[in-house]
Amino acid sequence: MDLTIEGKVYINGDFLDCCIGVTDGKISAIKKILKGDSHYRFSHSLILPAGIDVHVHFRDPGLTHKEDFSTGTMAAAFGGISCVFDMPNTIPQTTSLQSLSEKIISAGKKAHVDFGVYAGVTDGNIKNSEDLSKKCCGFKIYLGGTTNSLQFDGDNLKETLNRINSTNKPVLIHAEDEKCLTRHKARENNLVDHFRSRPAECEEAAIRNILKISRDCNAKIHICHLSSCEGLELLRNRSKNISCGVTPHHLLLSAKNNLEPQARYKVNPPLRTDLDREALFDAAKNVFVDILESDHAPHTKEEKDTDFDEAPSGLPGVETMFPLFLFLAKKEVISFQRIISLICRRPAELLNIPKGRIEVGMDADFIVVDLKEETRIKSNNLHSKCGWTPFEDWSAIFPTHVFVRGEKVIEDNEIQVSQGFGKFVGD
Ligand SMILES: [Zn+2]
């Protein structure tokens, strides 16, 4: 056994005093007492599975002044995330086998944690889904336009889902209805204008359509970043192959004047009312929501701090997601069981990867958390290239150690691996 880790370990919904044995990057044993070539004892800390972020935009290639795979995965590592899945709206977009292969090779040279990539579905490549599935970990469809999104005509949704059905890969959907968005388009000066021009009825229309069309489709369908009570309500009786996600920003922030500068918080789907926020949070606390996803979408301060209407949509979040919710779990606002299900177990199930649980046979991906290590989030201490956070000064608990495949990735507030350590999980 290469490594043993001893402490209070989260196993099947409980914290147990035990040791985890690691051989060749995998968990090979879990016992009361184990001794490997090297042994770590964390007597005052909790040992949890590392998180998985199913929704990041690392802007690489093409927009690397905002982020790149090195800084993005560094931020992920510090935030206790051992695996990220990157969205296709880079330049070039990952909509062909070639652009997928190129991104996988280039990201593989830079990554500090493991990663997967999605293929974007466009009107032009629907017919190639079988081919694309050889390289991608899943598919992404934008039913409504957003910053740098891909062109997709909602009328093609049925055919697309049927094709994806046979690939065994999940499809993630940005659920805002394009026709509805066009109807409500207006000049925007602030966050309230923004959610009025992308009202909940657009989310509702898109989800209603997905539910109707997918009735006889078994593909795994994940509805990204739910943002409204209305959308939530529609999904109440969804079938088993449909999962839904929420973001930290939709659970913790709403469209209010005190968020300054307002354009920093411009995001799609938009922040809405406190009523929406509370309903989403409640759903996340109960078993209704499957996944917490950051939708990490960095833009520089210069790009954001401009006229509201012109500013791009999106905000960073991969590094702060798990730490914010670890703090909330300590405060008993949400249970540890729920956050581990939302950030670790269910994402691994959606993407079908051997992570997200501390169990023999799984990748040895853990975080070590000392609940006394409460801190305030400061953008100066974060690692995204964009240099700001929507959660400045919020309380959080960052992991003291992060292990990926049995390798120590974070210790003493330092990254311990070099670029290229992270592996592509889609092979
Ligand atoms: Zn996104």
Side-chain angles (χ1 to χ4, degrees), residues 147 187-188 263 266 303-304 306-313:
T147 305
R187 202 197 132 76
E188 305 170 5
K266 183 180 176 188
E303 289 165 329
K304 280 296 237 181
T306 171
D307 174 59
F308 189 94
D309 201 60
E310 304 280 311
S313 292

Side-chain angles (χ1 to χ4, degrees), residues 205-413:
I207 293 176
R208 185 168 282 127
N209 191 30
I210 295 165
L211 291 175
K212 191 174 98 201
I213 283 175
S214 65
R215 246 176 231 146
D216 44 347
C217 168
N218 302 316
K220 276 201 231 172
I221 298 170
H222 177 71
I223 299 182
C224 296
H225 44 47
L226 264 181
S227 67
S228 69
C229 298
E230 287 86 346
L232 200 59
E233 210 40 55
L234 275 179
L235 287 168
R236 222 161 259 290
N237 297 312
R238 65 188 183 271
S239 57
K240 258 194 138 155
N241 58 319
I242 299 178
S243 58
C244 64
V246 290
T247 68
H249 47 273
H250 289 110
L251 296 189
L252 301 174
L253 304 169
S254 53
K256 286 221 187 86
N257 301 331
N258 63 353
L259 296 178
E260 286 292 342
Q262 291 260 295
R264 292 258 183 115
Y265 299 84
K266 183 180 176 188
V267 62
N268 296 330
L271 302 179
R272 302 185 191 275
T273 66
D274 271 324
L275 210 66
D276 293 295
R277 188 183 62 73
E278 283 160 21
L280 293 166
F281 204 114
D282 267 351
K285 275 188 351 193
N286 302 308
V287 287
F288 184 77
V289 167
D290 301 280
I291 287 174
L292 193 57
E293 57 197 55
S294 75
D295 195 3
H296 178 83
H299 300 285
T300 65
K301 280 186 250 188
E302 293 68 33
E303 289 165 329
K304 280 296 237 181
D305 297 349
T306 171
D307 174 59
F308 189 94
D309 201 60
E310 304 280 311
S313 292
L315 37 83
V318 69
E319 188 166 357
T320 47
M321 176 166 74
F322 213 163
L324 282 166
F325 280 83
L326 285 168
F327 174 78
L328 294 174
K330 176 187 171 178
K331 294 290 176 197
E332 298 182 7
V333 176
I334 186 168
S335 67
F336 281 100
Q337 282 80 358
R338 280 305 295 154
I339 66 168
I340 291 165
S341 176
L342 288 162
I343 302 177
C344 313
R345 192 173 61 83
R346 296 287 289 131
E349 286 169 6
L350 177 71
L351 274 311
N352 198 21
I353 51 172
K355 295 182 183 286
R357 275 179 295 166
I358 298 182
E359 205 176 280
V360 171
M362 293 283 152
D363 284 358
D365 292 13
F366 326 108
I367 63 172
V368 180
V369 177
D370 180 348
L371 292 182
K372 290 195 293 299
E373 295 265 311
E374 270 180 37
T375 159
R376 297 284 182 141
I377 293 173
K378 301 280 177 202
S379 44
N380 280 344
N381 299 333
L382 299 177
H383 300 83
S384 167
K385 202 183 267 189
C386 75
W388 66 278
T389 167
F391 299 106
E392 187 77 24
D393 276 328
W394 283 62
S395 293
I397 300 176
F398 286 82
T400 56
H401 298 74
V402 177
F403 291 85
V404 179
R405 290 178 273 105
E407 293 286 332
K408 212 188 295 158
V409 170
I410 300 289
E411 184 181 48
D412 297 334
N413 220 9

Side-chain angles (χ1 to χ4, degrees), residues 55 57 87 140 225 295:
H55 195 152
H57 300 263
M87 287 295 170
K140 175 71 183 283
H225 44 47
D295 195 3

Side-chain angles (χ1 to χ4, degrees), residues 7-69:
K8 228 176 227 332
V9 185
Y10 185 88
I11 295 171
N12 274 333
D14 267 319
F15 286 102
L16 305 176
D17 286 307
C18 64
C19 296
I20 310 167
V22 178
T23 310
D24 296 331
K26 297 268 183 195
I27 300 173
S28 53
I30 299 171
K31 291 217 166 91
K32 194 94 201 135
I33 300 167
L34 285 169
K35 260 280 151 57
D37 299 344
S38 50
H39 184 80
Y40 295 99
R41 187 152 173 257
F42 298 106
S43 26
H44 303 293
S45 299
L46 302 176
I47 299 170
L48 315 179
I52 294 154
D53 196 341
V54 305
H55 195 152
V56 303
H57 300 263
F58 280 171
R59 311 301 195 195
D60 191 354
L63 297 157
T64 51
H65 65 287
K66 300 173 196 267
E67 193 77 283
D68 61 44
F69 244 88

